[in-house]
Amino acid sequence: MAAFSCTLFGRSYSFGSLRELLAKATPKRSGDELAGLAAESAEVRVAAQMCLAELPLEHFLEDQLIPYEDDEVTRLIVDSHDRAAFAPVAQLSVGQFRDWLLDYDTDARALTALAPGLTPEMVAAVTKLMGNQDLILAAKKCRVVTRFRSTIGLPGTLAVRLQPNHPADDARGIAASVFDGLLYGCGDAVIGINPATDSVQACESLLRLLDELIARHEIPTQSCVLAHVTTQLEAIRRGAPLDLMFQSIAGTEAANRSFGVSLSLLAEAESAALSLKRGTIGSDVMYFETGQGSVLSAGAHHGVDQQTLEVRAYAVARHFKPLLVNTVVGFIGPEYLYDGKQIIRAGLEDHCAGKLLGLPMGVDVCYTNHSEADQDDMDTLLTLLGVAGCNYIMGVPGADDIMLGYQSTSFHDSHYLRQVLGLRPAPEFEAWLSRMRIADQQRLLPVQPNHELLLDSLAREG
């Protein structure tokens, strides 16, 4: 195992492994401190970053953080690496790679071609050397477009996941939230429900509810019930109308095992979703959620820092060509991202890293009520992500998820971001908003009492 050293202001610093070097080069965050992996001081952190900047990118192909024979995520990363795609940056160090990413001549086409040649560890390393503005600029250059019934990720667009959760999975309460969100122009990414219970019956019932609403109003979007993948598979076997297959994933085999999943199970789920052939303009059927800290909280981190582990999860997502991926950036709590500053930094890191690896990244801009963060911090991160070209965000009634008990972004927030940055919904959805007299020329219209959505039986009952 390689050791690394450098000299800073006449003092020598050494790092006993690549794992240690990456961990101590990471900007400060509470999760790494909790795990005993963080740099002891700002000076040590800078020394680690200087040492990391000199490390050749090729080194990451030789020195695996988690042994190949012990971890199927490592095996996926190694076995799927595209040497030809890697060639344009193969001779660069991590620091030189940062400069290359920020160069005027490095454009979306170059980054798209490079993505299969990058490993998560390379991307994690370079993002540790990048300031927030670097993360925004590099991500803005990336363009990842996916399709099912709507087109997500086109230049100049911002989509929204409409999240109508209810603590009792009540159909009328969910429908009321769905109609509210649609009338604010939300829902083009997906209408996605986190069920209160993970039963097959609840999953099937909610899938049928959303399918009925989408079909009745001819909405060009897709639905998802964010139950466990095995629950969704059983719902498919029972004839449920499933659009997107969802699963939370992580960056190590052991962490995924704690979620009750494996690469083979995800492949089975993808195949089942594809077999339904429910997409109208594309067949990207997978939806993944991630978040810094999940692997540490599962005790499955192998001594690797939480940001690097998060980026390893993106290798799993990339393998299945998803329609949507998002990091639920502040959801776990202050044990892993202590305050607004750490949440903002992590959100920008995750979005940039995912985009560099070729993923259609969204971000759940969120925090828990016991974090040292507030809605002003979320407004800041929301705006920065909009500038960075984030594919989609969450739309939650009042920004307060009454089922999951955390704070996110509201239906109104997406309209703010679209206005201030001149962004539009997915084109198919924008045309529907115009046809339904909900919005015109990026302007929400007053809702008339006889509007079709308000006259829906579920809306009246709710």
Side-chain angles (χ1 to χ4, degrees):
M1 183 177 293
F4 309 87
S5 62
C6 71
T7 300
L8 178 64
F9 300 127
R11 180 178 173 183
S12 295
Y13 295 85
S14 61
F15 307 94
S17 66
L18 183 57
R19 284 196 299 269
E20 182 183 0
L21 178 63
L22 288 169
K24 293 192 173 178
T26 306
K28 181 178 180 181
R29 64 205 55 197
S30 53
D32 292 334
E33 292 175 330
L34 180 67
L37 303 175
E40 299 86 347
S41 66
E43 188 175 271
V44 171
R45 183 173 299 111
V46 170
Q49 290 172 339
M50 291 180 63
C51 190
L52 183 61
E54 299 299 320
L55 189 67
L57 289 177
E58 285 272 5
H59 185 90
F60 292 95
L61 301 177
E62 305 162 1
D63 190 352
Q64 300 303 323
L65 300 180
I66 303 171
Y68 182 92
E69 59 274 13
D70 295 343
D71 186 87
E72 69 173 2
V73 177
T74 299
R75 292 193 290 275
L76 175 66
I77 292 167
V78 172
D79 295 346
S80 63
H81 182 249
D82 187 331
R83 278 275 186 177
F86 178 56
V89 298
Q91 304 307 310
L92 301 183
S93 69
V94 177
Q96 290 170 329
F97 181 41
R98 171 191 171 274
D99 295 341
W100 184 88
L101 290 172
L102 302 178
D103 190 277
Y104 286 117
D105 293 330
T106 302
D107 58 12
R109 180 175 297 184
L111 291 170
T112 298
L114 176 65
L118 296 178
T119 69
E121 292 82 1
M122 293 175 191
V123 172
V126 75
T127 56
K128 294 175 192 296
L129 304 183
M130 299 169 80
N132 285 2
Q133 64 179 248
D134 299 339
L135 297 169
I136 293 168
L137 177 57
K140 181 70 171 180
K141 294 183 179 188
C142 299
R143 185 58 56 194
V144 184
V145 179
T146 55
R147 295 175 175 86
F148 189 78
R149 292 196 195 102
S150 57
T151 304
I152 311 300
L154 290 172
T157 66
L158 172 75
V160 184
R161 169 188 160 188
L162 202 169
Q163 186 170 312
N165 296 344
H166 191 281
D169 287 340
D170 179 76
R172 291 174 299 176
I174 288 170
S177 292
V178 169
F179 294 134
D180 188 24
L182 291 171
L183 290 169
Y184 274 103
C186 299
D188 46 345
V190 62
I191 303 176
I193 303 171
N194 296 91
T197 61
D198 196 51
S199 71
V200 176
Q201 181 178 355
C203 180
E204 184 178 8
S205 175
L206 293 173
L207 284 170
R208 293 191 184 283
L209 169 66
L210 293 181
D211 182 60
E212 179 185 349
L213 293 178
I214 289 172
R216 183 187 305 165
H217 300 288
E218 299 179 332
I219 309 169
T221 191
Q222 36 283 328
S223 68
C224 186
V225 174
L226 284 70
H228 191 268
V229 65
T230 54
T231 304
Q232 295 168 86
L233 279 169
E234 183 57 32
I236 288 177
R237 295 185 186 105
R238 292 168 57 159
L242 182 142
D243 291 341
L244 303 185
M245 179 66 69
F246 167 82
Q247 183 56 48
S248 294
I249 56 172
T252 70
E253 179 180 349
N256 283 322
R257 191 183 308 120
S258 76
F259 289 164
V261 298
S262 63
L263 296 181
S264 61
L265 179 58
L266 292 175
E268 178 187 350
E270 179 189 36
S271 178
L274 285 169
S275 72
L276 300 179
K277 299 180 179 179
R278 292 176 56 81
T280 55
I281 62 171
S283 57
D284 299 319
V285 296
M286 300 300 283
Y287 175 18
F288 294 114
E289 282 191 345
T290 66
Q292 288 194 30
S294 61
V295 185
L296 293 178
S297 68
H301 60 285
H302 297 270
V304 180
D305 68 273
Q306 69 180 40
Q307 189 242 350
T308 300
L309 293 168
E310 170 71 5
V311 186
R312 280 172 58 94
Y314 302 158
V316 177
R318 178 171 64 176
H319 182 65
F320 295 99
K321 301 178 178 60
L323 179 78
L324 305 168
V325 179
N326 72 265
T327 168
V328 192
V329 67
F331 182 73
I332 301 181
E335 300 84 359
Y336 300 97
L337 294 169
Y338 179 71
D339 56 15
K341 180 180 177 67
Q342 292 188 14
I343 292 171
I344 289 168
R345 170 73 194 186
L348 295 176
E349 286 173 349
D350 294 352
H351 175 252
C352 180
K355 284 288 183 64
L356 290 175
L357 288 170
L359 288 179
M361 286 299 295
V363 178
D364 189 345
V365 180
C366 64
Y367 65 101
T368 59
N369 289 313
H370 62 307
S371 297
E372 291 295 320
D374 59 27
Q375 212 64 34
D376 286 340
D377 295 316
M378 300 305 101
D379 286 351
T380 299
L381 178 54
L382 173 71
T383 305
L384 295 175
L385 287 167
V387 175
C390 189
N391 278 27
Y392 72 103
I393 59 168
M394 307 298 129
V396 178
D400 184 0
D401 192 302
I402 58 174
M403 195 281 284
L404 293 174
Y406 78 118
Q407 310 304 310
S408 185
T409 44
S410 72
F411 301 145
H412 308 68
D413 291 342
S414 62
H415 190 57
Y416 145 74
L417 200 57
R418 285 170 175 167
Q419 285 185 86
V420 76
L421 296 177
L423 302 171
R424 309 172 79 97
E428 304 84 358
F429 194 79
E430 183 177 40
W432 179 83
L433 292 174
S434 178
R435 187 169 68 250
M436 292 290 289
R437 296 174 287 111
I438 294 172
D440 184 56
Q441 299 297 316
Q442 298 177 272
R443 186 184 291 251
L444 290 176
L445 301 175
V447 180
Q448 303 302 317
N450 64 345
H451 194 280
E452 176 181 319
L453 295 183
L454 297 181
L455 294 178
D456 190 286
S457 59
L458 274 172
R460 293 203 305 273
E461 292 173 12

